[in-house]
Amino acid sequence: MAKEEPTKLSGEYRAVDAEYRRKVAVINARPKLETGIFVFWGALDVVLLFTFVTGVLVYIVSGSFIDARVNASILDNVRASHAGVVRVAPDGLALQDAKSASVVAGKYDLYATVENPNTEWYATFDYQFVFDGGETEIMSGFVNPGDKRLLTDINVSLDRRPSGLRIVTTNLVWSRVDRHTVLDTAEFLAERNGITVDEATYTKDLTVGSEQLARSTLTFTNQTAYAYWNPEFLVKLMRGSTILSLSKVALPELQSGEKRTVEVRWFGEVPPSGTIAVEPQIFFFDESVYMDPGDESGQDVRR
């Protein structure tokens, strides 16, 4: 019996069969592929949702701790800042008891000592003398760093010597020395507080009518490198440590290196002899007290 030969398929038939099989495979795999895509998409949604929820919770919890730390640090900074302010804050002015000196009948010199214990702060303020049944006019005052001097109201008209006398300050303003312009406060003051009194005499040899008056002659020398518009000085007539009378002198347009002599007359019940003390009344931190540098010689007389 003859052996049958397998039928040979043509190339065209084989190509059609391969295309058919491929399309059948794609059709059979499509449901599985779609199912896999939906499963992957669902899993991705779950992961994204979990990440979002976790992120929100972590943000809220972490934020609460951060807020707590920030608030704590702010409070610490406030306390530290307050402690720093308190540490460098100026001490109050030291005011001693006010006193009075009789000039002539119905006239009194009122005075009180003020001291600034701060070496890096200066102050401006208003002051007045208050006593039983009255008060003086309000006056402006100042005090340089580390300064101790008298606040005065001279030649006040009163019916009798004031009792219960005291001094009251208001509108006190503290200012710290600016380190951008003043590197050393002590040196700054020493350079400007060099107007010396070379001579201060007191005699009771002046006669006006039947009254014998006293007078003082004072010689000032400006040994600083600065010229001043109108520097004032408080002149105290003293017997021992007691102030008998007060007066003020001003030296208009006092140039650097200039020497000037002035005379002060004393009225009322003054002793035949006494001593003279002089206090400068110059607010060195007020730029308006200095003359224009263009009007000065610019020569430092201390050299």
Side-chain angles (χ1 to χ4, degrees):
M1 182 175 187
K3 185 177 180 181
E4 293 183 2
E5 292 289 338
T7 304
K8 292 183 179 180
L9 300 177
S10 64
E12 184 178 354
Y13 180 80
R14 287 197 298 269
V16 172
D17 183 66
E19 179 68 18
Y20 171 77
R21 294 176 183 275
R22 185 183 63 80
K23 290 182 179 180
V24 170
V26 170
I27 292 172
N28 291 333
R30 180 177 295 175
K32 296 180 180 180
L33 183 62
E34 291 177 350
T35 302
I37 293 174
F38 285 123
V39 170
F40 174 77
W41 186 259
L44 181 62
D45 286 343
V46 171
V47 171
L48 292 177
L49 181 61
F50 176 79
T51 303
F52 172 75
V53 173
T54 304
V56 170
L57 293 177
V58 171
Y59 175 79
I60 294 175
V61 174
S62 175
S64 64
F65 284 108
I66 292 175
D67 289 343
R69 287 196 298 269
V70 170
N71 291 333
S73 63
I74 291 174
L75 292 176
D76 289 340
N77 289 336
V78 169
R79 285 191 290 266
S81 299
H82 178 70
V85 171
V86 171
R87 185 171 58 254
V88 300
D91 295 328
L93 294 177
L95 293 169
Q96 297 182 5
D97 294 338
K99 299 179 181 180
S100 63
S102 178
V103 183
V104 295
K107 298 285 186 178
Y108 296 88
D109 293 337
L110 311 181
Y111 61 92
T113 300
V114 61
E115 181 176 5
N116 179 10
N118 307 283
T119 58
E120 299 299 329
W121 292 82
Y122 56 90
T124 58
F125 50 87
D126 296 329
Y127 72 92
Q128 67 177 153
F129 292 91
V130 178
F131 47 89
D132 295 342
E135 60 187 22
T136 63
E137 294 183 358
I138 297 176
M139 305 181 69
S140 298
F142 65 88
V143 62
N144 292 303
D147 198 10
K148 182 179 181 180
R149 62 184 187 85
L150 292 182
L151 300 176
T152 63
D153 198 343
I154 298 175
N155 207 28
V156 179
S157 298
L158 298 173
D159 296 334
R160 54 185 175 83
R161 182 180 291 273
S163 60
L165 183 64
R166 64 188 186 279
I167 188 170
V168 177
T169 59
T170 56
N171 300 325
L172 176 63
V173 177
W174 286 104
S175 299
R176 194 172 188 181
V177 177
D178 186 359
R179 279 287 166 263
H180 292 90
T181 57
V182 180
L183 297 180
D184 189 305
T185 305
E187 181 179 353
F188 174 89
L189 294 173
E191 289 177 347
R192 290 158 176 76
N193 192 20
I195 303 177
T196 61
V197 180
D198 301 324
E199 183 182 5
T201 63
Y202 173 80
T203 57
K204 194 174 184 179
D205 59 354
L206 181 64
T207 302
V208 177
S210 59
E211 186 177 2
Q212 191 176 23
L213 305 178
R215 60 181 175 177
S216 294
T217 301
L218 300 95
T219 301
F220 295 87
T221 302
N222 183 5
Q223 299 188 27
T224 74
Y226 302 90
Y228 297 88
W229 281 114
N230 197 41
E232 290 189 348
F233 298 84
L234 179 66
V235 183
K236 301 181 286 187
L237 173 59
M238 307 185 69
R239 183 169 54 197
S241 60
T242 302
I243 296 177
L244 301 178
S245 187
L246 298 171
S247 183
K248 283 187 178 182
V249 297
L251 307 176
E253 299 185 12
L254 182 65
Q255 299 287 341
S256 174
E258 183 180 357
K259 179 178 288 189
R260 195 175 299 182
T261 300
V262 296
E263 183 179 273
V264 177
R265 294 188 179 183
W266 305 99
F267 300 92
E269 297 295 329
V270 292
S273 63
T275 57
I276 299 297
V278 179
E279 286 186 7
Q281 306 279 291
I282 306 173
F283 188 19
F284 297 113
F285 291 90
D286 182 1
E287 292 295 331
S288 66
V289 305
Y290 304 102
M291 295 179 65
D292 190 321
D295 296 335
E296 301 180 12
S297 63
Q299 182 179 3
D300 192 343
V301 299
R302 298 169 298 172
R303 299 177 180 176

